[in-house]
Amino acid sequence: MIDLLQQLNEPQQQAVQSIKGPVMVIAGAGSGKTRALTYRIAYMLQQGIDAFSILALTFTNKAAREMKERVIQLVGDQEGRNVWMGTFHAIFARILRVEGHHLGYPSNFTIYDTDDTKQLMRNILKELNLDPKVYKPSFVLHRISNAKSNLFSAQDYLDNPDIRIADQQAGKPLIGEIFKAYSSRLKRANAMDFDDLLFNTNVLLRDFPEVLYKYQHRFKYILVDEYQDTNHAQYLIIKRIAALNENICVVGDDAQSIYAFRGANIQNILNFKSDYPDHQLVRLEQNYRSTKTIVAAANKVIENNKDQIKKLVWTDKENGELISLLRATSDNEEGVLVANAIFGHKMAEQLNNKDFVILYRTNAQSRSIEEALRKHGIAYRIYGGLSFYARKEVKDLLSYFRLVINPQDEEALLRVINYPARGIGKTTIERLLVAANVHQISIWDLINEQSLLPHDINRGALSKINDFVAMIKSFQALHETKSAFELAKHINSSVGLVAALKEDDSPEGISRIENIEELLNAIMEFSDKQVDEATGEQVGIKLADFMQDIALLTDADKKDPDDDDYVSMMTIHAAKGLEFPYVFVVGIEENLFPSVQSLGTRAELEEERRLFYVAITRAEKKLTLSYAESRYRWGNLSLCEPSRFLEEIDESLIDRPRKTGMRKKTSLDTMAGFSKMQPEATQRADHSPNKSHANDDFEASDPDDLQNGMQVIHQKFGKGKIVNLEGNGPNKKATVQFAAYGQKQLLLKFARLKIV
C-alpha cells in the first residue's frame, strides 16, 4: 500500500486526514489543490470508507477525468471507479434518471444542448408572433437561465412584481410568458436544458423528503472542487445532501472567484464558516508554480480586497526576474512591443512559441496583438474565441465593405442581404439564387435588373430588395469622396448592426459590440499611419486600401494542424486553471482593466482585482504587463491612464519603462528617428527653393507648445499658419495654411514645425 502522506506537505496532509466533519481547504494559486483532493479520496478509500458513499463534484469534465485517473493510479481500478465523481450537471442528471419520475419525467428524458434550446426558442417566438429583433433568443435564454439559477420557476417569474417592472422598463414585458411557454414545451418533449438539471434536483430534494433521505444516507462524504464558483442552486443542493452527516470538504480560493457574470456567488465560500461553525480551516499557501517575485506581486494586489479569507501564499523557488512593464503610446504600438519582447525571448533563450501566453480583458483587444505577431511571423492560436477578423459580427460589417468595393461578391451579398433582418426571407433568397443560375448572371446583376426578377417574389420583398440595392449604391457613391473611416462609420450606422447587437446585453452581446468598435478603431489607426514620413503630411486612404491590407493579414498561410507550437492568446477568464512559463497581460488601463462596467460597487471592483490576481498567478518564470497611453474608442482617440492595479504592486518588483523618448526598440521609434534625420539628409542633396528652410541648425518646437493661429515654418512647405489642432499625444495633428502649398494636414510627431 502506498504511503500517501509521505508525498504531501504538512497542510496537504491535514487536508487529506481531516475526514470527519466540515472542512474548508483554501488553496492558493499553484498550491497543489488537485493533488490534495485526489490524495484525500485515495486516503479515505485506504481507511476502508465505501467508495459508493463518496460524492466528488467538479466544474469541468476534464477536472473530473484527471482526478479519477489519479485516484485509480493510487488505489487501483476497482475502488477508484466506484466513487461518484463528475461535474455537477453529470451527477445530477444521473440522479434525475433514477428519481425524475417524482417530477413527471421518464428515465429517458432528453437533455437539450445550446443549439436545441436556441431552435426551440426561435420556434416559440415565431408561434407567439413576437419580433426576434426585440426578443432575441440569446437574450431571452440568458434571462431564463439566470432565473433558474436563482431557483425561479416560470410561475415564480410571472408572479414577481419587481421582475415584471424590470422587463417592462427594458421594453420586453412578455419574457415571463415566453418563459412559461418554453418550460411547457420542454416538459411536453420530456426534455431538460442544462439549468433544469440543477433546478429540478433542487425541487426533488425540497419537495420529496424520502428522496433527500435516500441521498443523505448514500453520500456520507462530500467533496466540492472550486467551491468559490458555485451558484445558488448548486449551493443549496450541496447543503441539503450534507445536512445529515456534515462530512463535507470544500476546496477553493476566494481570491480566484471571477465568474459572477455566470451566477457564481463568492458569498458561498465566504459564509462557509457561518454555515458550519465547527469547521476546520486548512490553508494551502505554498506555491509550487511561480517565482518569489510573481508570488509577492500577486499577494500585494489581492491584499487590497476587503471581502476575503486571509492567507499568505509563499514559495521557496528562486526570486526570478522582475516584472516587466511595457508602456506604449498606442494599442497598436502595444502589440508591436509585445511581439518584439516574445521574439527577443525566443532568440535569446531558445524558447518555443508554446512557452508564451498573451492574456487580455476583452476579446476585442486581440486585434492589434494578432497583427503584430503576424508581421513577426510568430504562430499563435486564440483559445475560447475566434481570430479577430473571423468573428461573426466583424465579418458581417466587412461583408458590407466588400460589397461597396465589389458588388459581384456573392458570398458577401448573401451574408448581409437580410442581416440585420430587413424582410428578405430565406425563400426569396433561394428564388434569387435559382434565377441567377438560370440567367447565368450574378445575384447583384439580377437584383439590378427588374425584368429578370422571379415573378413569384411578393411586392413587400421586392420593395426591400430595391431598398437594399439603393443602400449599397449610396455607399458606393461615397467611396471616392469619403475617407475610409468616415465611410465605414457611415455604413455601420446606416445598416443598424450595433442597434441589432444592443438587443443582447449578455456578456457575449457586449463583446460583439466591442468587436465592431475595434474594427472601426482599426480603420482609424490604419488611416493615421498613412503619413509621408519626410513631411508629416497625412495621406488620404479609401476603404479599398484598408480592405486590401487586412486581406493580406487574414489570408496568412495556414499552419500545419499537427504543429502545436503556438503562442496562446485568450481572455483571463479562459486562462483560469492554466499555467505558462512566460505570461503577457495587456491593456492594464483604467476603464479597461478594471472594466468601466465594474466600477459601480466595491463587489464589482473586487472581482476585477481577483481577475488581475488570476492573470498574475498564471506565470511560472516571467510576467510582463503592458498598457497604452492612448486607444481608439469608436474611431476617436482617447487618452488612457495606467490601471490602479499597477500601483498596488510594490515598486521593487517591477522593471518600469524609461521615458517614451528614450526607447529605441520599437518600429514606431525607428520611424520617428528616421523622420527626424531625413529632411536634413535631403537638404544636403537638394538645393531647390522648396528646401530653403532646411538646414543643419533647424530645431523643431515642442508639439505641445503649438496653438491655433501661430505662424510656423516647415522644412519643405515653408512658412504657414496653424488653422486647426486636433487629437492628443502621438496622434496630435495640425492643419496648416501654407503660402506656397495651400492647406496641409500634418501629423506632428513627424512634421517638425518651428514656431516663428
Side-chain angles (χ1 to χ4, degrees):
M1 183 181 292
I2 300 172
D3 186 348
L4 299 171
L5 300 179
Q6 271 193 345
Q7 302 175 44
L8 304 170
N9 64 31
E10 195 171 315
Q12 288 173 334
Q13 289 177 11
Q14 186 184 350
V16 165
Q17 290 178 289
S18 303
I19 294 172
K20 295 291 184 181
V23 180
M24 178 161 64
V25 180
I26 296 299
S31 63
K33 167 181 70 73
T34 305
R35 185 179 185 84
L37 260 177
T38 52
Y39 275 61
R40 179 183 170 91
I41 295 170
Y43 182 80
M44 291 165 69
L45 294 173
Q46 280 191 356
Q47 298 303 304
I49 291 173
D50 183 2
F52 287 100
S53 69
I54 301 172
L55 173 63
L57 296 166
T58 69
F59 272 85
T60 66
N61 288 310
K62 181 185 174 197
R65 187 168 56 250
E66 287 178 357
M67 283 173 58
K68 181 158 276 193
E69 287 171 357
R70 289 198 200 181
V71 170
I72 288 170
Q73 286 172 4
L74 292 171
V75 298
D77 188 75
Q78 187 170 354
E79 281 304 287
R81 291 194 183 280
N82 291 336
V83 176
W84 278 58
M85 188 184 300
T87 65
F88 283 88
H89 291 92
I91 293 294
F92 299 145
R94 188 173 170 185
I95 290 173
L96 286 166
R97 294 283 182 207
V98 177
E99 310 294 347
H101 62 90
H102 293 282
L103 303 175
Y105 287 92
S107 61
N108 64 340
F109 64 83
T110 301
I111 299 173
Y112 275 12
D113 64 16
T114 304
D115 290 339
D116 295 327
T117 57
K118 280 187 177 176
Q119 187 55 54
L120 174 58
M121 183 56 67
R122 291 189 198 101
N123 293 340
I124 290 170
L125 294 173
K126 189 173 183 181
E127 291 161 14
L128 294 175
N129 292 316
L130 294 175
D131 187 348
K133 289 184 286 185
V134 176
Y135 292 94
K136 291 196 78 168
S138 56
F139 172 82
V140 177
L141 287 167
H142 181 69
R143 188 89 169 139
I144 291 172
S145 176
N146 280 344
K148 288 183 182 180
S149 294
N150 287 289
L151 302 182
F152 278 81
S153 67
Q155 196 58 51
D156 294 332
Y157 192 100
L158 282 165
D159 293 342
N160 188 297
D162 293 335
I163 292 175
R164 193 162 59 245
I165 290 168
D167 284 346
Q168 287 170 349
Q169 290 175 341
K172 298 173 179 61
L174 297 178
I175 286 183
E177 297 296 336
I178 299 169
F179 188 178
K180 189 173 182 180
Y182 175 76
S183 297
S184 176
R185 288 287 290 275
L186 280 171
K187 189 68 182 292
R188 197 170 80 195
N190 287 324
M192 297 186 201
D193 63 18
F194 288 156
D195 295 306
D196 285 328
L197 298 175
L198 302 181
F199 181 88
N200 286 331
T201 301
N202 263 295
V203 173
L204 193 64
L205 300 178
R206 181 194 69 196
D207 295 351
F208 298 90
E210 68 278 17
V211 176
L212 177 59
Y213 178 87
K214 174 180 175 181
Y215 288 97
Q216 283 178 336
H217 282 78
R218 172 172 293 179
F219 300 130
K220 296 185 173 111
Y221 301 89
I222 299 171
L223 296 89
V224 185
D225 189 17
E226 304 285 13
Y227 190 64
Q228 78 278 351
D229 293 335
T230 52
N231 63 22
H232 184 59
Q234 290 160 331
Y235 164 79
L236 280 182
I237 294 170
I238 296 161
K239 197 166 188 301
R240 284 191 172 114
I241 296 176
L244 179 65
N245 299 293
E246 291 199 344
N247 294 326
I248 177 171
C249 174
V250 300
V251 182
D253 182 5
D254 57 295
Q256 297 186 65
S257 178
I258 59 172
Y259 294 123
F261 68 96
R262 292 184 191 165
N265 185 355
I266 192 175
Q267 295 305 317
N268 293 345
I269 194 167
L270 296 178
N271 292 339
F272 189 85
K273 60 185 178 183
S274 55
D275 286 339
Y276 304 96
D278 59 340
H279 76 289
Q280 295 182 65
L281 176 61
V282 180
R283 292 184 175 90
L284 303 185
E285 296 174 310
Q286 182 175 0
N287 180 299
Y288 292 94
R289 175 188 301 158
S290 308
T291 64
K292 282 187 172 71
T293 297
I294 293 165
V295 168
N299 284 340
K300 291 297 289 183
V301 167
I302 205 62
E303 72 181 20
N304 291 280
N305 271 10
K306 289 190 175 180
D307 284 342
Q308 63 170 299
I309 299 165
K310 291 293 182 182
K311 61 182 174 301
L312 182 63
V313 177
W314 61 277
T315 183
D316 60 7
K317 298 189 79 171
E318 70 279 2
N319 286 330
E321 294 184 56
L322 292 177
I323 296 166
S324 292
L325 181 61
L326 305 179
R327 180 178 66 191
T329 55
S330 66
D331 50 346
N332 229 33
E333 190 192 2
E334 181 182 42
V336 173
L337 291 176
V338 169
N340 285 350
I342 291 174
F343 186 79
H345 281 303
K346 284 181 64 181
M347 294 300 102
E349 301 165 58
Q350 298 301 300
L351 300 171
N352 296 312
N353 289 326
K354 61 186 176 185
D355 294 322
F356 299 89
V357 67
I358 301 169
L359 304 177
Y360 32 78
R361 179 64 183 83
T362 67
N363 274 310
Q365 290 170 256
S366 77
R367 194 267 310 167
S368 58
I369 311 292
E370 287 183 66
E371 292 180 5
L373 291 175
R374 283 193 184 105
K375 287 170 183 174
H376 260 293
I378 297 172
Y380 67 88
R381 179 173 288 162
I382 292 183
Y383 289 83
L386 294 168
S387 176
F388 181 79
Y389 289 108
R391 293 169 192 162
K392 179 187 181 301
E393 57 280 359
V394 173
K395 291 186 77 171
D396 289 336
L397 189 50
L398 288 176
S399 291
Y400 280 103
F401 299 168
R402 285 163 56 183
L403 278 180
V404 170
I405 297 157
N406 173 22
Q408 307 293 342
D409 185 338
E410 291 207 348
E411 289 303 314
L413 187 147
L414 290 172
R415 186 178 186 98
V416 299
I417 191 170
N418 195 43
Y419 185 75
R422 54 175 58 89
I424 304 173
K426 185 179 178 182
T427 303
T428 298
I429 293 171
E430 287 172 351
R431 287 171 178 162
L432 292 176
L433 279 165
V434 170
N437 288 334
V438 168
H439 294 291
Q440 293 293 295
I441 57 176
S442 70
I443 295 177
W444 176 254
D445 289 340
L446 178 76
I447 59 181
N448 273 276
E449 182 52 66
Q450 296 284 316
S451 63
L452 298 179
L453 285 169
H455 299 301
D456 50 359
I457 293 180
N458 65 54
R459 291 176 62 184
L462 190 60
S463 172
K464 299 296 184 185
I465 290 170
N466 291 335
D467 290 345
F468 176 75
V469 170
M471 179 177 70
I472 299 300
K473 285 184 174 178
S474 74
F475 297 156
Q476 291 172 324
L478 295 171
H479 185 251
E480 292 307 316
T481 59
K482 282 189 177 288
S483 70
F485 177 74
E486 289 171 335
L487 181 54
K489 189 175 179 182
H490 173 71
I491 293 171
N492 178 58
S493 60
S494 299
V495 302
L497 267 179
V498 172
L501 293 171
K502 278 183 177 176
E503 294 295 320
D504 180 3
D505 64 357
S506 68
E508 294 79 10
I510 293 168
S511 177
R512 284 191 273 272
I513 294 173
E514 290 171 344
N515 289 335
I516 292 288
E517 177 188 1
E518 185 60 24
L519 177 57
L520 295 178
N521 293 343
I523 298 170
M524 178 57 87
E525 281 187 5
F526 178 75
S527 302
D528 280 347
K529 284 191 294 185
Q530 311 310 306
V531 175
D532 183 328
E533 293 170 15
T535 65
E537 184 179 5
Q538 198 131 25
V539 179
I541 66 150
K542 302 302 177 191
L543 195 57
D545 300 317
F546 173 77
M547 293 301 289
Q548 177 173 310
D549 184 70
I550 65 162
L552 297 174
L553 288 174
T554 53
D555 289 342
D557 291 339
K558 299 288 186 291
K559 304 298 180 186
D560 181 351
D562 295 326
D563 180 7
D564 66 348
D565 189 28
Y566 294 91
V567 171
S568 297
M569 294 178 63
M570 65 189 78
T571 64
I572 303 164
H573 282 102
K576 187 166 175 287
L578 303 178
E579 56 190 43
F580 295 85
Y582 292 77
V583 171
F584 288 76
V585 190
V586 300
I588 316 294
E589 300 144 30
E590 282 295 295
N591 299 325
L592 179 56
F593 197 9
S595 164
V596 69
Q597 284 96 8
S598 302
L599 299 177
T601 66
R602 177 179 295 280
E604 290 171 337
L605 177 60
E606 292 201 348
E607 174 135 343
E608 287 289 293
R609 187 176 282 110
R610 292 193 296 270
L611 191 61
F612 188 47
Y613 175 85
V614 167
I616 291 172
T617 55
R618 299 311 93 199
E620 297 172 354
K621 291 181 64 176
K622 173 73 177 175
L623 174 65
T624 302
L625 308 175
S626 69
Y627 68 92
E629 295 174 329
S630 64
R631 259 176 217 279
Y632 283 97
R633 308 281 189 198
W634 295 104
N636 296 314
L637 190 70
S638 301
L639 295 182
C640 305
E641 293 180 35
S643 170
R644 67 190 74 188
F645 297 153
L646 291 176
E647 298 171 9
E648 296 172 357
I649 301 175
D650 196 296
E651 285 280 342
S652 65
L653 303 173
I654 298 181
D655 180 13
R656 289 189 175 271
R658 300 175 188 176
K659 290 189 176 180
T660 308
M662 296 174 68
R663 281 186 287 105
K664 299 289 183 186
K665 293 183 179 178
T666 74
S667 60
L668 207 62
D669 292 330
T670 305
M671 284 170 61
F674 174 76
S675 70
K676 289 174 184 174
M677 294 166 55
Q678 199 262 357
E680 296 171 1
T682 304
Q683 190 266 342
R684 289 191 288 271
D686 185 346
H687 301 283
S688 69
N690 291 342
K691 302 294 182 179
S692 59
H693 299 279
N695 59 68
D696 292 340
D697 298 325
F698 187 92
E699 288 187 18
S701 301
D702 187 330
D704 290 337
D705 295 337
L706 299 175
Q707 296 179 18
N708 280 328
M710 279 185 169
Q711 297 288 332
V712 293
I713 294 176
H714 185 277
Q715 287 186 284
K716 175 181 177 182
F717 302 130
K719 285 187 177 181
K721 179 182 179 181
I722 298 175
V723 296
N724 186 46
L725 288 167
E726 60 181 278
N728 295 291
N731 293 284
K732 193 172 184 179
K733 304 172 191 172
T735 303
V736 183
Q737 184 71 42
F738 291 102
Y741 288 89
Q743 203 168 90
K744 299 285 185 182
Q745 189 173 60
L746 307 175
L747 197 62
L748 293 182
K749 66 184 176 187
F750 295 128
R752 303 187 73 243
L753 297 175
K754 181 178 180 179
I755 300 170
V756 176

